[in-house]
Amino acid sequence: DMLTLQSLAKKKNPQARLARTVYVERIRKYLGSYLVKLHGKCDALIFTAHLGMYDADLRYDVCHGLDSLGIQLDDALNNAPLTDFTDIATTFSKTRIIVCASDEEAYIARQAAVVSGIFEREAELAKQAKIQANKLALLHRRNAQITNDLDDTQSIHFDLKLPALG
């Protein structure tokens, strides 16, 4: 778990520090590969999720020394309190460096619901429930009218003759 690794690295655990160094170097390697594919034109580098949002050292380690690639981190902004969406690049950086909050679990749940059609089923069920409620309301109005009509007549007699048993 990266949060445990982060905590151990801050406590100077040598294995955790090595693992974090490898992690940062892999991020930088992939970033370099993507920059090559993008012909050096990257609009934004986005840090998200828990590590991206709350680990200023990670953001520094990833971005440090990338000025020649147009990625310039503003150290003061990087270490300042962040909002849900903060640009921490210098004003001269060609690439914006964005830190933003995310809720992957909620996003995945919404996507799963869309793919499974659950929202359509929910909408159809709500539509059917509304139709049933309207029918019941109409029946209640009719019953109330019939009751009023019956009250207007003095009495109604039902003379039922049942066949004798046995």
Side-chain angles (χ1 to χ4, degrees):
D1 170 70
M2 289 303 292
L3 295 177
T4 304
L5 183 66
Q6 176 187 24
S7 173
L8 290 172
K10 286 186 180 198
K11 294 177 184 175
K12 309 284 186 209
N13 178 300
Q15 291 173 320
R17 292 179 73 169
L18 175 62
R20 184 176 170 87
T21 299
V22 169
Y23 179 67
V24 168
E25 288 307 310
R26 284 196 178 157
I27 293 171
R28 290 170 60 95
K29 177 180 101 174
Y30 282 106
L31 178 58
S33 296
Y34 287 126
L35 285 170
V36 168
K37 290 285 188 185
L38 295 169
H39 305 287
K41 296 177 184 171
C42 178
D43 294 325
L45 177 60
I46 300 174
F47 289 91
T48 188
H50 189 84
L51 287 176
M53 187 78 186
Y54 301 108
D55 193 342
D57 292 335
L58 174 72
R59 296 188 301 265
Y60 175 83
D61 291 342
V62 169
C63 297
H64 181 71
L66 301 180
D67 297 10
S68 63
L69 299 174
I71 299 172
Q72 297 177 359
L73 180 72
D74 184 312
D75 290 333
L77 290 174
N78 185 41
N79 291 300
L82 304 172
T83 62
D84 283 349
F85 188 91
T86 306
D87 185 348
I88 59 172
T90 66
T91 54
F92 303 107
S93 182
K94 285 185 357 186
T95 300
R96 306 314 317 149
I97 304 170
I98 308 295
V99 179
C100 67
S102 66
D103 189 351
E104 290 94 354
E105 291 86 2
Y107 180 79
I108 291 167
R110 281 193 301 274
Q111 292 302 311
V114 168
V115 169
S116 70
I118 199 167
F119 290 143
E120 289 89 15
R121 288 195 301 274
E122 290 290 326
E124 184 59 31
L125 289 173
K127 181 179 170 184
Q128 293 299 325
K130 186 174 182 180
I131 290 169
Q132 290 298 328
N134 287 339
K135 286 180 180 177
L136 283 173
L138 182 61
L139 282 173
H140 284 298
R141 282 195 298 273
R142 286 183 184 160
N143 286 339
Q145 183 60 43
I146 290 171
T147 302
N148 286 340
D149 290 346
L150 288 176
D151 288 345
D152 289 343
T153 62
Q154 294 300 325
S155 62
I156 296 178
H157 298 281
F158 294 97
D159 190 12
L160 297 176
K161 296 194 180 202
L162 300 173
L165 296 174

